[in-house]
Amino acid sequence: DKGSCTHAAPTYVSEIYYDASNCYGGNTGDSAVTMGRIGWVDALTRNRTNDNTTLWLTLFDPMVADLLQNTWMYERFTCQATPTHNPYYVEYPEYIVMVMREVIYGINIGFNRIIIKPFAPEDFTYSFGNFAIMYVSTHSVVRQVHHQRNKLSSIISCHPLPTQFPTSTLSLKQQLLLILLVFFKFLEFHY
């Protein structure tokens, strides 16, 4: 968080710029840009440390606004939050979907268990594949929608919500559009 470019967009590669003399063959490549994959780890860290402000205002809402405004997103961003490298790239839309599922909804799926530890204030129902998750602040239920030959051996680990809830700056319309995007992204990935 100390670098001047750290949160220009989620999240800058390093607090220290690696110039040509510090890179193999002088190739600075991605040493002076942001990467969605680093932003994802940053968001997981904000969840772990209950840093609501940075998660919503710095890591999530600006990227969602960019997606809703432009539809297509660039591969990387500069220190000035200017898009750079390839247009029409998938990393940041995937970043948004992963942060929604794994951090905001707190749904983490392992080989034999599902852990639900949401960072969002509302109760929710979340369906994917042949599973549905119904979360209420006092408990959660995970059920298999259609019987399959593979069953989960351990279904749920549920955690209480944080005492202070983050506030998203997204309007209801933007939230609905984002939900549709997530839905279509899910269909594209799984079917």
Side-chain angles (χ1 to χ4, degrees):
D1 287 353
K2 295 177 184 173
S4 60
C5 299
T6 301
H7 289 125
T11 295
Y12 215 67
V13 172
S14 175
E15 290 182 0
I16 301 168
Y17 173 67
Y18 292 94
D19 59 16
S21 65
N22 291 311
C23 296
Y24 180 75
N27 181 3
T28 59
D30 285 335
S31 66
V33 292
T34 64
M35 290 187 179
R37 64 196 84 169
I38 298 172
W40 170 68
V41 173
D42 196 358
L44 291 171
T45 302
R46 303 306 163 169
N47 183 12
R48 182 82 177 215
T49 60
N50 287 318
D51 184 355
N52 299 347
T53 304
T54 304
L55 175 69
W56 288 106
L57 300 181
T58 305
L59 299 176
F60 189 70
D61 284 350
M63 291 292 98
V64 171
D66 185 311
L67 179 66
L68 294 174
Q69 181 179 0
N70 301 311
T71 305
W72 300 104
M73 298 181 79
Y74 274 77
E75 178 182 5
R76 307 278 186 257
F77 292 86
T78 66
C79 182
Q80 295 73 34
T82 305
T84 189
H85 292 210
N86 302 308
Y88 315 111
Y89 203 71
V90 299
E91 187 168 353
Y92 277 102
E94 289 174 352
Y95 157 84
I96 292 169
V97 172
M98 290 169 55
V99 169
M100 279 189 70
R101 185 187 68 236
E102 296 177 11
V103 178
I104 294 171
Y105 286 110
I107 300 169
N108 289 289
I109 302 167
F111 287 110
N112 63 354
R113 69 176 184 262
I114 297 175
I115 298 172
I116 302 173
K117 185 180 178 185
F119 209 60
E122 296 93 15
D123 299 339
F124 63 86
T125 301
Y126 191 98
S127 324
F128 55 95
N130 63 342
F131 288 95
I133 296 172
M134 281 98 13
Y135 179 85
V136 180
S137 59
T138 57
H139 67 285
S140 294
V141 175
V142 177
R143 66 181 175 90
Q144 221 170 349
V145 179
H146 303 292
H147 182 67
Q148 297 279 327
R149 65 177 176 254
N150 299 327
K151 293 184 179 179
L152 293 174
S153 59
S154 174
I155 295 286
I156 191 97
S157 172
C158 180
H159 301 273
L161 287 167
T163 53
Q164 291 186 345
F165 299 125
T167 313
S168 176
T169 58
L170 297 177
S171 68
L172 180 59
K173 180 180 176 184
Q174 289 173 324
Q175 290 177 22
L176 292 173
L177 287 171
L178 186 59
I179 290 168
L180 285 174
L181 172 72
V182 170
F183 174 72
F184 287 118
K185 196 71 177 155
F186 174 79
L187 290 178
E188 177 185 309
F189 182 74
H190 291 286
Y191 296 100

